[in-house]
Amino acid sequence: MDVFIEQLVKRKKEGKDVAVIILIILGAIVLAAVLTYLGWWFLGMPEIAFVLILGIIYGAYMLISNQNIEFEYIITNGELDVDRIIARRKRKRIVTVSCRDFEDFGRYAPQKFANRRFSTRLTLASKREGEGLYYAVFNHDTMGHVLLVMEPDERTLKTIVSFLNRNISREGL
């Protein structure tokens, strides 16, 4: 029987994300003011300034909407694919790995991994810390030794656990 599970997780905005949005807005306002001044008073061409200001507004909108990020977990017959979806416009595959290749899997506690070295650390969840986060450690062909932090729901978690190797501890799952 084929297994196919999908889950969408929306990343919550943190302080850094809000600061970036504020900087984009302030930058657009300053740039629009400078273009208005230059276009109207120096060049005597307010039409060009108006068109450029519309372009700045559109650019600011695109940059702000690109802060809306979602992650989609897709499990197909034991193979986990994680995609990043930006502003519901662009999709990019981040990682593909077989659940059977996990070296370790369980509830995520940041202090457990603070001193461990990984080639790549991927946090593909709605938050960086807290309840509901799980980790997977595995070797990947291109990324090396990887720590993946994710936020599976109950159905996705059960599916992942069902494909794990028998030598992986299932405590707390």
Side-chain angles (χ1 to χ4, degrees), residues 56-121:
I56 290 169
I57 291 170
Y58 178 74
Y61 165 76
M62 292 300 286
L63 288 173
I64 290 170
S65 68
N66 282 347
Q67 300 299 313
N68 297 327
I69 297 175
E70 298 172 323
F71 299 106
E72 184 176 36
Y73 310 138
I74 306 163
I75 301 173
T76 308
N77 295 330
E79 183 140 312
L80 173 66
D81 298 317
V82 183
D83 295 347
R84 177 184 293 134
I85 302 169
I86 300 173
R88 296 186 180 181
R89 284 191 300 264
K90 295 183 258 179
R91 172 184 294 263
K92 182 179 180 191
R93 174 77 27 99
I94 303 299
V95 67
T96 299
V97 63
S98 174
C99 295
R100 292 175 185 90
D101 293 339
F102 288 174
E103 297 171 6
D104 198 7
F105 183 79
R107 290 191 186 275
Y108 179 66
Q111 63 275 11
K112 181 178 178 180
F113 299 100
N115 296 324
R116 289 185 57 187
R117 291 179 145 307
F118 295 97
S119 303
T120 307
R121 289 177 182 251

